[in-house]
Amino acid sequence: MAYDDLRSFLQSLEAHGQLLRISEQVKAEPDIAAAANATGRIGDGAPALWFDNIEGFTDARVVMNTIGSWQNHAISMNLPPKTPVSEQIAEFVRRWDKFPVAPERRDNPPWAENSVDGDDINLFDILPLFRLNDGDGGFYLDKACTVSRDPTDPDNFGKQNVGIYRMEVKGKRKLGLQPVPMHDIAIHLNKAEERGQDLPVAITLGNDPMITLMGATPLQYDQSEYEMAGALREKPYPIATAPLTGFDVPWGSEVVLEGVIESRVREIEGPFGEFTGHYSGGRNMTVVRIDKVSYRTKPIFESLYLGMPWTEIDYLMGPATCVPLYQQLKAEFPEVQAVNAMYTHGLLAIISTKKRYGGFARAVGLRAMTTPHGLGYVKMVIMVDEDVDPFDLQQVMWAMSSKVNPAGDLVQLPNMSVLELDPGSSPAGITDKMIIDATTPVAPDTRGHYSQPVKDLPETKEWINKLTEMLAQQKQEHK
């Protein structure tokens, strides 16, 4: 089943026991965010949360943590909830190879049921807003998909971007939006401002999980998120035409905001508790003027809690970062076996690879840092051999402890680019980057003493299966 909207996904979560309805009355602050924060602290399998009894709001529906566990992530891809992470990523890779799948344009989108224009717009009437962390500078939209087009090539479908960016609600029809320089919307905005033009945008809230995943995925500049969403859901993705901008937006969204990023206008935005587990301070950011709002009757407001990892954003970004990095590296280095870039949006990546010759693993690590995502995010790379599973941290730590000689296995690159939100960067946006080569040296690199590795016994695999079956049977008998 491919989900056409948020509501069908919520129904599926509930059917699998992965949606928890909170019936008691809660306060918008701090209860909603605190509950979402708690989902990352209660162990494996945290559910999505539904709130519809919120003090101070007469008719509000808020959902949190919809993709905030590996079970929910699996359900979003129409996989069994207990699918292991490695298998979810392998399936992600398999479907990725089906790109592109052309979208399906539909009429009568549900978000067209109601509309408000111009000065009649008041976002505080339409959206049940609340702060996510007590140090935030205001209310934020942090799980909305923002659609923009390349103003120099507006009819190029592939250059129409769908991305997720944090937006502070600053007035009845005004937002502050942070366009990270490495993201496509920053390229679109730069081209518009070079011409002294505003940049039109369509902002969609309450979306199906697949376009949310795609909005968080670092695709190449001319790759369409809608065409990739179709590949990953194995069915054409439904889109509709936004009435003011004419942009292609998800057919099943709860709310669509249309307007412009005002050319060369900047105002202080922030602070905001970010995915790094730290607040980002106030900075001059762009200003969005909303000119039209379309919304479903009784819309569902979806938000995302960010803070000290892990939170929902880490599940949302994890495979969506691993897979494009893997695909981009594999295209040039077929020796690459797997990429684990699930930590802090890929600021740390672990890559396993075969080696052609001495120094080869470091070349792969350098290339990871120059991919579209790596330019702004990949700050540290740990390279491991092909027989080390980068998703098994015990194996990775073994490789680090037994294969690394700091005298020759650390590569430090000074004054490289990184996103400004990295709290370790100094000045903001500049950092040294590092490659840790934890692979076995091969000729002409002859360092160390690795000629006699201990291997698993030939019968070990058979016993793994046997013991697993015996344990499962024992658990059944003790139920």
Side-chain angles (χ1 to χ4, degrees):
M1 171 185 175
Y3 308 108
D4 290 345
D5 59 7
L6 173 63
R7 300 184 186 204
S8 59
F9 178 47
L10 294 175
Q11 290 171 359
S12 184
L13 289 175
E14 189 161 35
H16 285 96
Q18 286 297 119
L19 175 67
L20 185 61
R21 293 181 181 268
I22 312 295
S23 58
E24 66 180 88
Q25 187 176 77
V26 300
K27 294 181 179 179
E29 295 182 14
D31 288 336
I32 296 178
N37 187 182
T39 60
R41 306 292 183 263
I42 61 175
D44 189 42
L49 304 177
W50 169 285
F51 302 90
D52 59 10
N53 187 2
I54 306 169
E55 182 180 315
F57 294 89
T58 57
D59 192 23
R61 287 149 297 279
V62 175
V63 292
M64 305 288 289
N65 205 57
T66 61
I67 312 179
S69 65
W70 289 123
Q71 286 88 331
N72 288 17
H73 187 277
I75 294 168
S76 76
M77 295 183 65
N78 199 27
L79 296 171
K82 294 294 186 180
T83 303
V85 179
S86 59
E87 292 182 22
Q88 292 189 44
I89 292 175
E91 180 64 12
F92 209 122
V93 170
R94 187 189 70 80
R95 296 183 191 183
W96 186 286
D97 289 335
K98 296 182 178 181
F99 172 85
V101 173
E104 173 188 65
R105 190 172 300 279
R106 295 184 186 175
D107 297 325
N108 303 314
W111 48 257
E113 292 174 342
N114 308 277
S115 66
V116 188
D117 298 278
D119 289 335
D120 292 331
I121 295 170
N122 185 347
L123 295 178
F124 299 97
D125 287 341
I126 299 170
L127 305 175
L129 300 169
F130 52 90
R131 288 180 302 169
L132 294 161
N133 281 295
D134 51 14
D136 288 350
F139 304 124
Y140 274 84
L141 311 178
D142 67 339
K143 206 178 180 183
C145 286
T146 300
V147 183
S148 60
R149 288 184 177 177
D150 185 330
T152 65
D153 196 7
D155 296 326
N156 188 319
F157 187 79
K159 293 181 181 179
Q160 177 178 238
N161 182 64
V162 182
I164 296 179
Y165 317 101
R166 79 186 205 197
M167 289 173 281
E168 182 179 359
V169 181
K170 308 184 77 172
K172 293 193 297 182
R173 52 182 295 205
K174 182 167 80 168
L175 306 174
L177 183 148
Q178 178 179 253
V180 174
M182 296 80 183
H183 291 168
D184 290 352
I185 196 171
I187 298 173
H188 294 173
L189 178 62
N190 183 61
K191 290 183 177 184
E193 291 189 326
E194 283 179 344
R195 292 159 179 75
Q197 300 171 352
D198 296 337
L199 181 71
V201 291
I203 299 163
T204 68
L205 293 85
N207 298 301
D208 67 273
M210 196 51 66
I211 200 60
T212 299
L213 286 167
M214 287 301 94
T217 301
L219 300 181
Q220 296 180 21
Y221 183 67
D222 59 353
Q223 285 184 322
S224 165
E225 285 79 9
Y226 296 131
E227 292 176 342
M228 188 64 79
L232 290 174
R233 71 191 229 126
E234 300 185 296
K235 184 179 180 181
Y237 185 80
I239 59 174
T241 303
L244 182 64
T245 58
F247 287 0
D248 303 309
V249 297
W251 176 86
S253 300
E254 295 287 317
V255 181
V256 177
L257 315 177
E258 295 180 86
V260 298
I261 300 178
E262 296 180 334
S263 179
R264 301 180 183 176
V265 176
R266 302 291 188 273
E267 288 183 0
I268 291 293
E269 178 266 356
F272 183 63
E274 268 290 355
F275 68 91
T276 60
H278 296 79
Y279 285 96
S280 58
R283 296 187 177 95
N284 277 325
M285 290 295 169
T286 62
V287 174
V288 181
R289 185 189 72 239
I290 303 300
D291 296 318
K292 188 177 187 67
V293 179
S294 306
Y295 61 97
R296 293 184 75 156
T297 300
K298 296 186 176 181
I300 299 172
F301 180 66
E302 183 182 19
S303 190
L304 178 151
Y305 176 78
L306 299 90
M308 183 64 68
W310 272 43
T311 68
E312 182 184 2
I313 198 167
D314 298 293
Y315 297 97
L316 174 62
M317 289 291 299
T321 303
C322 299
V323 174
L325 278 174
Y326 168 79
Q327 295 283 36
Q328 290 159 21
L329 289 173
K330 188 82 170 176
E332 297 175 350
F333 299 108
E335 294 82 0
V336 171
Q337 301 299 297
V339 176
N340 178 357
M342 294 198 293
Y343 305 104
T344 323
H345 283 31
L347 285 174
L348 169 67
I350 308 167
I351 303 171
S352 68
T353 185
K354 298 178 181 178
K355 301 171 295 298
R356 297 182 205 169
Y357 39 74
F360 180 80
R362 297 173 209 181
V364 175
L366 285 168
R367 182 66 186 96
M369 292 177 174
T370 57
T371 59
H373 187 73
L375 287 170
Y377 288 88
V378 179
K379 182 171 66 171
M380 291 175 284
V381 177
I382 301 171
M383 299 299 306
V384 295
D385 290 320
E386 69 272 20
D387 58 354
V388 173
D389 180 357
F391 295 95
D392 186 334
L393 295 188
Q394 290 188 2
Q395 292 187 31
V396 174
M397 290 300 102
W398 166 77
M400 289 269 290
S401 62
S402 66
K403 301 292 179 81
V404 174
N405 182 341
D409 290 326
L410 305 183
V411 179
Q412 187 166 340
L413 305 167
N415 300 324
M416 302 288 284
S417 63
V418 73
L419 79 164
E420 292 182 349
L421 296 177
D422 174 20
S425 62
S426 182
I430 295 294
T431 187
D432 282 18
K433 293 190 173 185
M434 181 171 67
I435 300 168
I436 302 173
D437 188 352
T439 62
T440 307
V442 297
D445 187 351
T446 59
R447 296 172 301 134
H449 307 281
Y450 300 103
S451 60
Q452 293 179 299
V454 178
K455 299 289 187 180
D456 284 350
L457 294 169
E459 299 81 6
T460 298
K461 187 174 182 180
E462 178 185 342
W463 270 98
I464 290 173
N465 295 331
K466 184 175 182 178
L467 293 175
T468 300
E469 291 174 3
M470 291 175 68
L471 284 169
Q473 183 177 350
Q474 180 173 282
K475 289 180 180 178
Q476 282 294 117
E477 293 172 352
H478 283 79
K479 278 189 176 180

